[in-house]
CSV table of all heavy atoms in Angstrom, one decimal:
chain,number,residue,atom,x,y,z
A,129,VAL,N,-64.2,-49.2,-41.5
A,129,VAL,CA,-64.9,-50.4,-41.3
A,129,VAL,C,-65.9,-50.3,-40.2
A,129,VAL,O,-65.8,-49.4,-39.3
A,129,VAL,CB,-64.0,-51.7,-41.1
A,129,VAL,CG1,-63.1,-51.9,-42.3
A,129,VAL,CG2,-63.2,-51.5,-39.8
A,130,GLU,N,-66.9,-51.2,-40.1
A,130,GLU,CA,-67.9,-51.2,-39.1
A,130,GLU,C,-67.2,-51.7,-37.8
A,130,GLU,O,-66.6,-52.7,-37.7
A,130,GLU,CB,-69.0,-52.1,-39.4
A,130,GLU,CG,-70.2,-52.0,-38.5
A,130,GLU,CD,-70.9,-50.7,-38.6
A,130,GLU,OE1,-70.9,-50.0,-39.7
A,130,GLU,OE2,-71.6,-50.2,-37.6
A,131,PRO,N,-67.3,-50.9,-36.7
A,131,PRO,CA,-66.6,-51.3,-35.4
A,131,PRO,C,-67.4,-52.5,-34.8
A,131,PRO,O,-68.6,-52.6,-34.9
A,131,PRO,CB,-66.7,-50.1,-34.6
A,131,PRO,CG,-67.8,-49.3,-35.1
A,131,PRO,CD,-67.9,-49.6,-36.5
A,132,ALA,N,-66.6,-53.3,-34.1
A,132,ALA,CA,-67.2,-54.4,-33.4
A,132,ALA,C,-67.6,-53.9,-32.0
A,132,ALA,O,-67.2,-52.9,-31.5
A,132,ALA,CB,-66.2,-55.6,-33.2
A,133,PRO,N,-68.5,-54.7,-31.3
A,133,PRO,CA,-68.9,-54.2,-29.9
A,133,PRO,C,-67.7,-54.3,-29.0
A,133,PRO,O,-66.7,-55.0,-29.2
A,133,PRO,CB,-69.9,-55.3,-29.5
A,133,PRO,CG,-70.4,-55.9,-30.8
A,133,PRO,CD,-69.2,-55.9,-31.7
A,134,VAL,N,-67.8,-53.5,-27.9
A,134,VAL,CA,-66.8,-53.5,-26.9
A,134,VAL,C,-66.9,-54.7,-26.0
A,134,VAL,O,-68.0,-55.1,-25.6
A,134,VAL,CB,-67.0,-52.2,-26.0
A,134,VAL,CG1,-66.1,-52.3,-24.7
A,134,VAL,CG2,-66.7,-51.0,-26.8
A,135,GLN,N,-65.8,-55.4,-25.8
A,135,GLN,CA,-65.6,-56.5,-24.9
A,135,GLN,C,-64.7,-56.1,-23.8
A,135,GLN,O,-63.5,-55.7,-24.0
A,135,GLN,CB,-65.1,-57.8,-25.6
A,135,GLN,CG,-65.9,-58.1,-26.8
A,135,GLN,CD,-67.3,-58.7,-26.5
A,135,GLN,OE1,-67.6,-59.1,-25.4
A,135,GLN,NE2,-68.2,-58.7,-27.5
A,136,VAL,N,-65.1,-56.3,-22.5
A,136,VAL,CA,-64.2,-55.9,-21.4
A,136,VAL,C,-63.3,-57.1,-21.0
A,136,VAL,O,-63.8,-58.2,-20.9
A,136,VAL,CB,-65.1,-55.5,-20.2
A,136,VAL,CG1,-64.2,-55.2,-19.0
A,136,VAL,CG2,-65.9,-54.3,-20.5
A,137,LEU,N,-62.1,-56.8,-20.9
A,137,LEU,CA,-61.1,-57.9,-20.5
A,137,LEU,C,-60.8,-57.8,-19.0
A,137,LEU,O,-61.1,-56.8,-18.3
A,137,LEU,CB,-59.8,-57.6,-21.2
A,137,LEU,CG,-59.7,-58.1,-22.7
A,137,LEU,CD1,-60.4,-57.2,-23.6
A,137,LEU,CD2,-58.2,-58.2,-23.1
A,138,PRO,N,-60.3,-58.9,-18.4
A,138,PRO,CA,-59.9,-58.9,-17.0
A,138,PRO,C,-58.8,-57.8,-16.8
A,138,PRO,O,-58.0,-57.6,-17.7
A,138,PRO,CB,-59.3,-60.3,-16.8
A,138,PRO,CG,-59.9,-61.1,-17.9
A,138,PRO,CD,-60.1,-60.2,-19.1
A,139,ARG,N,-58.8,-57.2,-15.7
A,139,ARG,CA,-57.7,-56.3,-15.3
A,139,ARG,C,-56.4,-57.0,-15.3
A,139,ARG,O,-56.3,-58.2,-15.0
A,139,ARG,CB,-58.0,-55.6,-14.0
A,139,ARG,CG,-59.2,-54.6,-14.1
A,139,ARG,CD,-59.5,-54.0,-12.7
A,139,ARG,NE,-60.6,-53.0,-12.8
A,139,ARG,CZ,-60.4,-51.7,-12.9
A,139,ARG,NH1,-59.2,-51.2,-12.9
A,139,ARG,NH2,-61.4,-50.9,-12.9
A,140,THR,N,-55.3,-56.2,-15.5
A,140,THR,CA,-54.0,-56.7,-15.5
A,140,THR,C,-53.5,-56.9,-14.0
A,140,THR,O,-54.2,-56.6,-13.1
A,140,THR,CB,-53.0,-55.8,-16.2
A,140,THR,OG1,-52.9,-54.6,-15.4
A,140,THR,CG2,-53.5,-55.5,-17.6
A,141,ALA,N,-52.3,-57.5,-13.9
A,141,ALA,CA,-51.8,-57.6,-12.5
A,141,ALA,C,-51.7,-56.3,-11.8
A,141,ALA,O,-51.8,-56.2,-10.6
A,141,ALA,CB,-50.4,-58.3,-12.6
A,142,TRP,N,-51.4,-55.2,-12.5
A,142,TRP,CA,-51.4,-53.9,-11.9
A,142,TRP,C,-52.8,-53.2,-11.9
A,142,TRP,O,-52.9,-52.0,-11.6
A,142,TRP,CB,-50.4,-53.0,-12.7
A,142,TRP,CG,-49.0,-53.2,-12.5
A,142,TRP,CD1,-48.1,-54.0,-13.2
A,142,TRP,CD2,-48.2,-52.7,-11.4
A,142,TRP,NE1,-46.9,-53.9,-12.6
A,142,TRP,CE2,-46.9,-53.2,-11.5
A,142,TRP,CE3,-48.5,-51.8,-10.3
A,142,TRP,CZ2,-45.9,-52.8,-10.6
A,142,TRP,CZ3,-47.5,-51.5,-9.4
A,142,TRP,CH2,-46.2,-52.0,-9.6
A,143,ARG,N,-53.8,-54.0,-12.1
A,143,ARG,CA,-55.2,-53.6,-12.0
A,143,ARG,C,-55.5,-52.5,-13.0
A,143,ARG,O,-56.4,-51.6,-12.8
A,143,ARG,CB,-55.5,-53.0,-10.6
A,143,ARG,CG,-55.2,-54.0,-9.4
A,143,ARG,CD,-55.9,-55.3,-9.6
A,143,ARG,NE,-57.4,-55.1,-9.5
A,143,ARG,CZ,-58.3,-56.0,-10.0
A,143,ARG,NH1,-57.8,-57.1,-10.6
A,143,ARG,NH2,-59.6,-55.8,-9.9
A,144,LEU,N,-54.9,-52.6,-14.2
A,144,LEU,CA,-55.2,-51.7,-15.3
A,144,LEU,C,-56.4,-52.2,-16.1
A,144,LEU,O,-56.4,-53.3,-16.5
A,144,LEU,CB,-54.0,-51.6,-16.2
A,144,LEU,CG,-54.1,-50.5,-17.3
A,144,LEU,CD1,-54.2,-49.1,-16.7
A,144,LEU,CD2,-52.9,-50.6,-18.2
A,145,ALA,N,-57.5,-51.4,-16.2
A,145,ALA,CA,-58.7,-51.7,-16.9
A,145,ALA,C,-58.3,-51.7,-18.4
A,145,ALA,O,-57.6,-50.8,-18.9
A,145,ALA,CB,-59.8,-50.8,-16.6
A,146,ARG,N,-58.9,-52.6,-19.2
A,146,ARG,CA,-58.7,-52.7,-20.6
A,146,ARG,C,-59.9,-53.2,-21.3
A,146,ARG,O,-60.7,-54.0,-20.7
A,146,ARG,CB,-57.4,-53.5,-20.9
A,146,ARG,CG,-57.5,-54.9,-20.3
A,146,ARG,CD,-56.2,-55.6,-20.5
A,146,ARG,NE,-56.2,-56.9,-19.7
A,146,ARG,CZ,-55.3,-57.8,-19.8
A,146,ARG,NH1,-54.3,-57.7,-20.8
A,146,ARG,NH2,-55.3,-58.9,-19.1
A,147,ARG,N,-60.0,-53.0,-22.6
A,147,ARG,CA,-61.1,-53.5,-23.4
A,147,ARG,C,-60.7,-53.7,-24.9
A,147,ARG,O,-59.6,-53.2,-25.3
A,147,ARG,CB,-62.3,-52.6,-23.3
A,147,ARG,CG,-62.1,-51.2,-24.0
A,147,ARG,CD,-63.3,-50.3,-23.6
A,147,ARG,NE,-63.5,-49.3,-24.6
A,147,ARG,CZ,-64.5,-48.4,-24.6
A,147,ARG,NH1,-65.3,-48.4,-23.5
A,147,ARG,NH2,-64.6,-47.5,-25.5
A,148,MET,N,-61.5,-54.4,-25.6
A,148,MET,CA,-61.2,-54.7,-27.0
A,148,MET,C,-62.5,-54.8,-27.8
A,148,MET,O,-63.5,-55.2,-27.3
A,148,MET,CB,-60.4,-56.1,-27.1
A,148,MET,CG,-60.2,-56.6,-28.5
A,148,MET,SD,-59.0,-55.5,-29.4
A,148,MET,CE,-58.9,-56.4,-30.9
A,149,ARG,N,-62.4,-54.4,-29.1
A,149,ARG,CA,-63.5,-54.5,-30.0
A,149,ARG,C,-63.6,-55.9,-30.6
A,149,ARG,O,-62.6,-56.3,-31.2
A,149,ARG,CB,-63.4,-53.5,-31.1
A,149,ARG,CG,-63.4,-52.0,-30.5
A,149,ARG,CD,-64.8,-51.5,-30.4
A,149,ARG,NE,-64.9,-50.2,-29.7
A,149,ARG,CZ,-66.0,-49.5,-29.7
A,149,ARG,NH1,-67.1,-49.9,-30.3
A,149,ARG,NH2,-65.9,-48.3,-29.1
A,150,SER,N,-64.7,-56.7,-30.4
A,150,SER,CA,-64.7,-58.0,-30.9
A,150,SER,C,-66.2,-58.5,-31.0
A,150,SER,O,-67.0,-58.0,-30.2
A,150,SER,CB,-64.0,-59.0,-30.0
A,150,SER,OG,-64.1,-60.3,-30.4
A,151,GLU,N,-66.5,-59.4,-31.9
A,151,GLU,CA,-67.8,-59.9,-32.1
A,151,GLU,C,-68.1,-61.0,-31.1
A,151,GLU,O,-69.3,-61.4,-30.9
A,151,GLU,CB,-68.0,-60.4,-33.5
A,151,GLU,CG,-67.9,-59.3,-34.6
A,151,GLU,CD,-67.9,-59.9,-36.0
A,151,GLU,OE1,-67.6,-61.1,-36.1
A,151,GLU,OE2,-68.0,-59.1,-36.9
A,152,GLN,N,-67.1,-61.5,-30.4
A,152,GLN,CA,-67.2,-62.5,-29.4
A,152,GLN,C,-66.3,-62.2,-28.2
A,152,GLN,O,-65.6,-61.3,-28.3
A,152,GLN,CB,-66.9,-63.9,-30.0
A,152,GLN,CG,-67.8,-64.3,-31.2
A,152,GLN,CD,-67.3,-65.6,-31.8
A,152,GLN,OE1,-66.5,-66.4,-31.2
A,152,GLN,NE2,-67.9,-66.0,-33.0
A,153,ALA,N,-66.4,-63.1,-27.2
A,153,ALA,CA,-65.5,-62.9,-26.1
A,153,ALA,C,-64.1,-62.9,-26.5
A,153,ALA,O,-63.7,-63.6,-27.4
A,153,ALA,CB,-65.8,-64.0,-25.0
A,154,VAL,N,-63.3,-62.2,-25.8
A,154,VAL,CA,-61.8,-62.0,-26.1
A,154,VAL,C,-61.0,-62.8,-25.0
A,154,VAL,O,-61.4,-62.8,-23.8
A,154,VAL,CB,-61.4,-60.5,-26.1
A,154,VAL,CG1,-59.9,-60.4,-26.4
A,154,VAL,CG2,-62.2,-59.8,-27.1
A,155,SER,N,-60.0,-63.4,-25.4
A,155,SER,CA,-59.1,-64.1,-24.5
A,155,SER,C,-57.6,-63.6,-24.7
A,155,SER,O,-57.2,-63.2,-25.8
A,155,SER,CB,-59.1,-65.6,-24.7
A,155,SER,OG,-58.7,-66.0,-26.0
A,156,VAL,N,-56.9,-63.6,-23.6
A,156,VAL,CA,-55.5,-63.2,-23.7
A,156,VAL,C,-54.6,-64.4,-24.0
A,156,VAL,O,-54.5,-65.4,-23.3
A,156,VAL,CB,-55.0,-62.6,-22.3
A,156,VAL,CG1,-53.6,-62.2,-22.3
A,156,VAL,CG2,-55.9,-61.4,-21.9
A,157,ALA,N,-54.0,-64.3,-25.2
A,157,ALA,CA,-53.1,-65.4,-25.6
A,157,ALA,C,-51.7,-65.3,-25.0
A,157,ALA,O,-51.2,-66.3,-24.6
A,157,ALA,CB,-52.9,-65.4,-27.2
A,158,GLU,N,-51.2,-64.1,-24.8
A,158,GLU,CA,-49.9,-63.9,-24.1
A,158,GLU,C,-49.9,-62.5,-23.6
A,158,GLU,O,-50.1,-61.5,-24.4
A,158,GLU,CB,-48.8,-64.2,-25.1
A,158,GLU,CG,-47.4,-64.1,-24.4
A,158,GLU,CD,-46.3,-64.5,-25.4
A,158,GLU,OE1,-46.6,-64.8,-26.6
A,158,GLU,OE2,-45.1,-64.4,-25.0
A,159,GLN,N,-49.5,-62.3,-22.4
A,159,GLN,CA,-49.2,-61.0,-21.8
A,159,GLN,C,-47.8,-60.6,-22.0
A,159,GLN,O,-46.9,-61.2,-21.5
A,159,GLN,CB,-49.5,-61.0,-20.3
A,159,GLN,CG,-49.6,-59.6,-19.7
A,159,GLN,CD,-50.7,-58.8,-20.1
A,159,GLN,OE1,-51.9,-59.2,-20.1
A,159,GLN,NE2,-50.4,-57.5,-20.6
A,160,LEU,N,-47.6,-59.6,-22.8
A,160,LEU,CA,-46.2,-59.2,-23.2
A,160,LEU,C,-45.6,-58.2,-22.3
A,160,LEU,O,-44.4,-58.2,-22.1
A,160,LEU,CB,-46.2,-58.7,-24.7
A,160,LEU,CG,-46.8,-59.6,-25.7
A,160,LEU,CD1,-46.9,-58.9,-27.1
A,160,LEU,CD2,-45.9,-60.9,-25.8
A,161,GLU,N,-46.4,-57.2,-21.8
A,161,GLU,CA,-45.9,-56.2,-20.9
A,161,GLU,C,-47.0,-55.8,-20.0
A,161,GLU,O,-48.2,-55.6,-20.4
A,161,GLU,CB,-45.4,-55.0,-21.7
A,161,GLU,CG,-44.6,-54.0,-20.8
A,161,GLU,CD,-43.9,-52.9,-21.7
A,161,GLU,OE1,-43.8,-53.1,-22.9
A,161,GLU,OE2,-43.4,-52.0,-21.0
A,162,ASP,N,-46.6,-55.5,-18.7
A,162,ASP,CA,-47.6,-55.1,-17.7
A,162,ASP,C,-47.0,-54.2,-16.7
A,162,ASP,O,-46.1,-54.6,-16.0
A,162,ASP,CB,-48.2,-56.4,-17.0
A,162,ASP,CG,-49.3,-56.1,-16.0
A,162,ASP,OD1,-49.7,-54.9,-16.0
A,162,ASP,OD2,-49.8,-57.0,-15.4
A,163,THR,N,-47.4,-52.9,-16.8
A,163,THR,CA,-46.8,-51.9,-15.9
A,163,THR,C,-48.0,-51.1,-15.3
A,163,THR,O,-49.1,-51.3,-15.6
A,163,THR,CB,-46.0,-50.9,-16.8
A,163,THR,OG1,-46.8,-50.0,-17.5
A,163,THR,CG2,-45.1,-51.6,-17.7
A,164,PRO,N,-47.7,-50.2,-14.3
A,164,PRO,CA,-48.7,-49.5,-13.6
A,164,PRO,C,-49.6,-48.6,-14.6
A,164,PRO,O,-50.8,-48.4,-14.3
A,164,PRO,CB,-48.0,-48.6,-12.7
A,164,PRO,CG,-46.7,-49.3,-12.4
A,164,PRO,CD,-46.4,-50.0,-13.7
A,165,PHE,N,-49.1,-48.2,-15.7
A,165,PHE,CA,-49.8,-47.3,-16.6
A,165,PHE,C,-50.0,-47.8,-18.0
A,165,PHE,O,-50.8,-47.3,-18.8
A,165,PHE,CB,-49.2,-45.9,-16.7
A,165,PHE,CG,-47.8,-46.0,-17.4
A,165,PHE,CD1,-47.7,-45.7,-18.7
A,165,PHE,CD2,-46.7,-46.2,-16.6
A,165,PHE,CE1,-46.4,-45.8,-19.4
A,165,PHE,CE2,-45.4,-46.2,-17.2
A,165,PHE,CZ,-45.3,-46.0,-18.6
A,166,TYR,N,-49.4,-49.0,-18.4
A,166,TYR,CA,-49.4,-49.5,-19.8
A,166,TYR,C,-49.3,-51.0,-19.8
A,166,TYR,O,-48.7,-51.6,-19.0
A,166,TYR,CB,-48.2,-48.9,-20.5
A,166,TYR,CG,-48.0,-49.4,-21.9
A,166,TYR,CD1,-48.7,-48.8,-23.0
A,166,TYR,CD2,-47.2,-50.5,-22.2
A,166,TYR,CE1,-48.6,-49.3,-24.3
A,166,TYR,CE2,-47.0,-50.9,-23.5
A,166,TYR,CZ,-47.7,-50.3,-24.5
A,166,TYR,OH,-47.5,-50.8,-25.8
A,167,GLN,N,-50.1,-51.6,-20.7
A,167,GLN,CA,-50.0,-53.0,-20.9
A,167,GLN,C,-50.0,-53.3,-22.4
A,167,GLN,O,-50.6,-52.6,-23.2
A,167,GLN,CB,-51.2,-53.7,-20.2
A,167,GLN,CG,-52.6,-53.6,-20.9
A,167,GLN,CD,-52.8,-54.6,-22.0
A,167,GLN,OE1,-52.4,-55.8,-21.8
A,167,GLN,NE2,-53.5,-54.2,-23.0
A,168,ARG,N,-49.4,-54.4,-22.7
A,168,ARG,CA,-49.3,-54.9,-24.1
A,168,ARG,C,-49.5,-56.4,-24.1
A,168,ARG,O,-49.0,-57.1,-23.3
A,168,ARG,CB,-48.0,-54.6,-24.7
A,168,ARG,CG,-47.8,-55.0,-26.1
A,168,ARG,CD,-46.3,-54.7,-26.6
A,168,ARG,NE,-46.0,-53.3,-26.5
A,168,ARG,CZ,-44.8,-52.8,-26.3
A,168,ARG,NH1,-43.8,-53.7,-26.2
A,168,ARG,NH2,-44.6,-51.5,-26.3
A,169,ALA,N,-50.4,-56.9,-25.0
A,169,ALA,CA,-50.7,-58.3,-25.0
A,169,ALA,C,-51.1,-58.8,-26.4
A,169,ALA,O,-51.5,-58.0,-27.3
A,169,ALA,CB,-51.9,-58.6,-24.0
A,170,LEU,N,-51.1,-60.1,-26.6
A,170,LEU,CA,-51.7,-60.7,-27.8
A,170,LEU,C,-53.0,-61.2,-27.4
A,170,LEU,O,-53.2,-62.0,-26.4
A,170,LEU,CB,-50.8,-61.9,-28.3
A,170,LEU,CG,-49.4,-61.5,-28.9
A,170,LEU,CD1,-48.7,-62.8,-29.3
A,170,LEU,CD2,-49.6,-60.6,-30.1
A,171,LEU,N,-54.0,-60.9,-28.1
A,171,LEU,CA,-55.4,-61.2,-27.8
A,171,LEU,C,-56.0,-62.1,-29.0
A,171,LEU,O,-55.7,-61.8,-30.1
A,171,LEU,CB,-56.3,-60.0,-27.7
A,171,LEU,CG,-55.9,-59.0,-26.6
A,171,LEU,CD1,-56.9,-57.8,-26.6
A,171,LEU,CD2,-55.7,-59.6,-25.2
A,172,ARG,N,-56.9,-63.0,-28.6
A,172,ARG,CA,-57.7,-63.7,-29.6
A,172,ARG,C,-59.1,-63.1,-29.6
A,172,ARG,O,-59.7,-63.0,-28.5
A,172,ARG,CB,-57.7,-65.2,-29.2
A,172,ARG,CG,-56.3,-65.9,-29.3
A,172,ARG,CD,-56.5,-67.4,-29.3
A,172,ARG,NE,-55.2,-68.1,-29.4
A,172,ARG,CZ,-54.4,-68.5,-28.4
A,172,ARG,NH1,-54.9,-68.3,-27.2
A,172,ARG,NH2,-53.3,-69.1,-28.6
A,173,PHE,N,-59.5,-62.7,-30.8
A,173,PHE,CA,-60.8,-62.1,-30.9
A,173,PHE,C,-61.5,-62.5,-32.2
A,173,PHE,O,-60.9,-63.2,-33.0
A,173,PHE,CB,-60.7,-60.6,-30.7
A,173,PHE,CG,-60.1,-59.9,-32.0
A,173,PHE,CD1,-60.9,-59.1,-32.8
A,173,PHE,CD2,-58.8,-60.1,-32.4
A,173,PHE,CE1,-60.4,-58.4,-33.9
A,173,PHE,CE2,-58.3,-59.5,-33.5
A,173,PHE,CZ,-59.1,-58.6,-34.3
A,174,ALA,N,-62.7,-61.9,-32.5
A,174,ALA,CA,-63.4,-62.3,-33.7
A,174,ALA,C,-63.9,-61.0,-34.4
A,174,ALA,O,-64.4,-60.1,-33.7
A,174,ALA,CB,-64.6,-63.2,-33.4
A,175,TYR,N,-63.7,-61.0,-35.7
A,175,TYR,CA,-64.2,-59.8,-36.5
A,175,TYR,C,-64.6,-60.3,-37.9
A,175,TYR,O,-63.8,-61.1,-38.5
A,175,TYR,CB,-63.2,-58.7,-36.5
A,175,TYR,CG,-63.8,-57.5,-37.3
A,175,TYR,CD1,-64.7,-56.6,-36.6
A,175,TYR,CD2,-63.4,-57.2,-38.6
A,175,TYR,CE1,-65.2,-55.5,-37.3
A,175,TYR,CE2,-63.9,-56.1,-39.3
A,175,TYR,CZ,-64.8,-55.3,-38.6
A,175,TYR,OH,-65.4,-54.2,-39.3
A,176,ALA,N,-65.7,-59.9,-38.4
A,176,ALA,CA,-66.2,-60.2,-39.8
A,176,ALA,C,-66.2,-61.7,-40.0
A,176,ALA,O,-65.8,-62.2,-41.1
A,176,ALA,CB,-65.3,-59.5,-40.8
């Protein structure tokens, strides 16, 4: 599929940089895990 543009997200509590492909700004719905080297979250984004 055609990729969406890169959207930069706020850094995590451990200052981990992250980004997401989305047609609009991305918001964090829920932070599930946050470690010094890995993060997992539910994101709200837009595509197609």
Side-chain angles (χ1 to χ4, degrees):
V129 298
E130 191 68 25
V134 170
Q135 307 289 343
V136 177
L137 280 74
R139 289 178 178 261
T140 66
W142 282 98
R143 307 302 298 161
L144 187 64
R146 52 184 171 169
R147 68 189 204 178
M148 174 65 180
R149 299 274 174 166
S150 175
E151 294 170 349
Q152 300 176 12
V154 180
S155 62
V156 179
E158 185 176 358
Q159 190 68 50
L160 301 173
E161 187 169 354
D162 186 2
T163 77
F165 65 93
Y166 176 84
Q167 74 85 37
R168 181 185 298 155
L170 293 178
L171 303 181
R172 293 192 179 97
F173 75 111
Y175 183 78

